[in-house]
Amino acid sequence: MALTRAKAEFTLHPYDHDPDAQAYGEEAADALGVPYERIFKTLVAEVEGGLAVAVVPVAGKLDLKALAGALGGKRAAMAEAAKVERVTGYVVGGISPLGQRKQLPTVVDSSALDFDTIYFSAGKRGLQLETAPANLITLTRAVTAPIGKSA
């Protein structure tokens, strides 16, 4: 695991995943008793013909225009689920920003910096990672930008 290799502090938080759940991030937040603002979802979008990862709070939505701008593009659109799973190696609802098959450009919403630690998928449904935002940003070589918007 990338966090272990980097000797970064982290905590794994397993929870019982409901196979009928549709809102995976909200399910994780409710199961772990964590505010929605501290649980981040990993989304993959097409930006100027390439894939990019967006890490935003489950409390809101991804601002596609802001994501494109953070990566020097003009527009972005959500990527197809099948393509995302093929490229990242993870299933939708369990996509981690860490350990993907291919390193993709990554943008972490700047609100992550408001917290000592944040939660995000550990790579499967029913398992969250908690670590300092700086660890995630460093390991994914991410930029931070205000890419989240209110739901």
Side-chain angles (χ1 to χ4, degrees):
M1 173 182 283
L3 288 165
T4 303
R5 283 192 304 276
K7 296 182 175 31
E9 286 188 33
F10 67 93
T11 306
L12 284 174
H13 295 278
Y15 62 93
D16 290 328
H17 165 64
D18 176 357
D20 295 326
Q22 296 297 310
Y24 304 110
E26 287 86 344
E27 177 195 30
D30 293 341
L32 298 173
V34 175
Y36 287 8
E37 295 78 17
R38 277 188 67 199
I39 299 245
F40 284 69
K41 55 189 169 186
T42 306
L43 304 172
V44 181
E46 300 258 3
V47 180
E48 306 294 316
L51 292 179
V53 175
V55 183
V56 295
V58 300
K61 294 184 176 188
L62 171 61
D63 182 336
L64 287 164
K65 189 172 178 80
L67 173 65
L71 294 171
K74 288 189 176 10
R75 62 180 64 93
M78 294 305 297
E80 292 177 9
K83 184 175 186 178
V84 170
E85 290 180 349
R86 190 172 57 252
V87 171
T88 65
Y90 294 119
V91 296
V92 170
I95 297 172
S96 178
L98 297 172
Q100 296 180 5
R101 284 189 179 140
K102 180 180 175 191
Q103 177 84 41
L104 298 172
T106 302
V107 182
V108 175
D109 185 70
S110 51
S111 70
L113 301 173
D114 295 341
F115 302 103
D116 291 336
T117 62
I118 58 170
Y119 295 71
F120 53 88
S121 178
K124 67 180 194 174
R125 297 172 187 160
L127 188 61
Q128 291 281 305
L129 263 167
E130 177 186 6
T131 193
N135 292 334
L136 175 63
I137 292 163
T138 299
L139 291 171
T140 58
R141 296 187 206 108
V143 296
T144 56
I147 59 168
K149 62 182 179 180
S150 298

